[in-house]
Amino acid sequence: MYGAVLRSPRHQLRRVTCCQSWTSRRGFSVLGIETSADDTCAAIVTSDRKILSNVVQSQHSYHEEYRGIHPYMAIEAHQRHLPGVVRQALKEANMSIQDLDGIAFTRGPGIAGCLSVGSNAAKTLAGALNKPLIGVHHMQAHALTVFLTSPPEEAPQFPFLSLLLSGGHSLLLVAVSPTNFRILATTADQSIGTAFDHVAKMLEIPWMAAGPGASLEQFAKTEVGDVDSDDLPYDNIFVTPMPGKLAFSFSAPESQAARLVEKRGVRNMSLKSRVLLARAFQTRVVLQLEQKLAIAIKHCREEQIPIRHLVVSGGVASNAFLRERLRVCLDSASTDDRISLVCPPPKFCTDNAAMIAWASMDRFLSGDTDEYSVEHKSRWSLDEFSASTRSKELQPHAWQP
């Protein structure tokens, strides 16, 4: 059995040497598979930072009537789409399945049934093809995407601050290394992406292909003419939760918006009123991020942690208003020593398999692969992940091209 051979130190050394020769010849190529939530993704990435393919099959049409992810529908869609998505990734890369050097998949966190679809597919392919396998932490992949998408001279330097903002997570952390993350703040209730989705639903904002959160962002840009005091009672209903503390709460602004909508009745609200409420909600949620980020920067200075970059990733990082405000916040909080804002392109902020393939690269090149029996983990904190990797921390081969 290949899994048994993999445990042999002699085989490990021989396979690492082999990987290094492949890399010097054409780059070590990895098929990444991502099925943690509602997009079915496959990509092929090489160790020399080439994205040969990046296929994303959206499920938004399946979930539109539910105004959010329906787990059963997501699992069924992954099962239907994944074979074709993998085949398309190979076709776009002009490769056969035998040409691959390794296979990586999202091990967690995510929706358990969705993770199992990608996990089972990756393990079956790796076992059948006698290829090495690695299960990747989804949030680690988001944090490291910029090393794949940014020019080397613009890549962040460790340690750096990172905001990981998505439909499932809201994290502010210090990335000490590719495998070591120190969480400074997380949400006390629900994620920022979920709050955006819920408010978009309660305001009955028309659904966009990119999902309800992106729909709210676009809706808030709607031109509604001049605004006077009678039109805008909304700023006063929002308060920043837990002021002065490194912790998020996105249920609080959502509840404040919900009380107003319930009181007035969404069908009785004019388009202008709905737009202004969406705009005020987005502004206050982003203001919460700004305030917590300023606290984190101050904390890092007190701890003498040299921070030169802020990396923002995850689906919500596609929000242009958010990026604009974070740049203003950094300029205000880092007047003496400028902190650079680094974000992946919007299509790499949302879930994709290129980031999964890339996050696995160091482990492949170091020979630290998983056995075929590795299980997915729907609940898997970055603290737990960091603790498990700290004792065998890898040299950052891939992160410094």
Side-chain angles (χ1 to χ4, degrees), residues 111-313:
I111 301 171
C114 296
L115 290 169
S116 69
V117 177
S119 170
N120 291 337
K123 289 189 287 187
T124 300
L125 284 173
L129 297 168
N130 199 27
K131 303 290 185 181
L133 175 77
I134 287 177
V136 173
H137 194 290
H138 184 82
M139 301 314 293
Q140 178 209 20
H142 271 307
L144 300 178
T145 301
V146 292
F147 291 96
L148 174 63
T149 60
S150 299
E153 64 273 12
E154 297 178 10
Q157 299 174 9
F158 293 102
F160 59 81
L161 280 172
S162 183
L163 269 170
L164 303 180
L165 308 170
S166 68
H169 303 274
S170 303
L171 295 170
L172 176 56
L173 52 85
V174 175
V176 180
S177 77
T179 57
N180 189 354
F181 301 91
R182 176 182 167 191
I183 297 176
L184 300 180
T186 186
T187 177
D189 35 62
Q190 67 180 354
S191 71
I192 183 173
T194 297
F196 271 107
D197 291 353
H198 288 174
V199 173
K201 180 179 180 179
M202 74 175 65
L203 289 176
E204 299 185 357
I205 295 173
W207 182 280
M208 287 176 52
S215 301
L216 187 142
E217 179 190 1
Q218 289 303 119
F219 188 71
K221 295 178 182 178
T222 304
E223 292 293 338
V224 292
D226 295 335
V227 177
D228 56 42
S229 57
D230 292 333
D231 292 321
L232 195 60
Y234 304 132
D235 282 349
N236 296 330
I237 71 170
F238 294 106
V239 295
T240 300
M242 297 175 287
K245 295 183 179 179
L246 270 175
F248 299 119
S249 173
F250 299 107
S251 285
E254 180 193 322
S255 297
Q256 291 155 2
R259 283 196 293 270
L260 187 144
V261 172
E262 183 178 1
K263 179 179 178 181
R264 295 193 173 187
V266 68
R267 300 295 170 87
N268 297 323
M269 296 176 67
S270 66
L271 172 64
K272 186 175 184 179
S273 291
R274 290 164 57 226
V275 168
L276 293 176
L277 179 55
R279 193 177 296 171
F281 170 78
Q282 177 178 246
T283 299
R284 296 299 298 197
V285 167
V286 172
L287 178 61
Q288 182 182 165
L289 293 178
E290 294 179 58
Q291 292 173 341
K292 306 302 184 179
L293 177 59
I295 297 172
I297 292 172
K298 181 180 179 182
H299 170 79
C300 288
R301 284 177 177 159
E302 292 172 350
E303 294 290 318
Q304 296 185 333
I305 303 173
I307 298 297
R308 297 181 179 86
H309 296 85
L310 170 67
V311 171
V312 186
S313 192

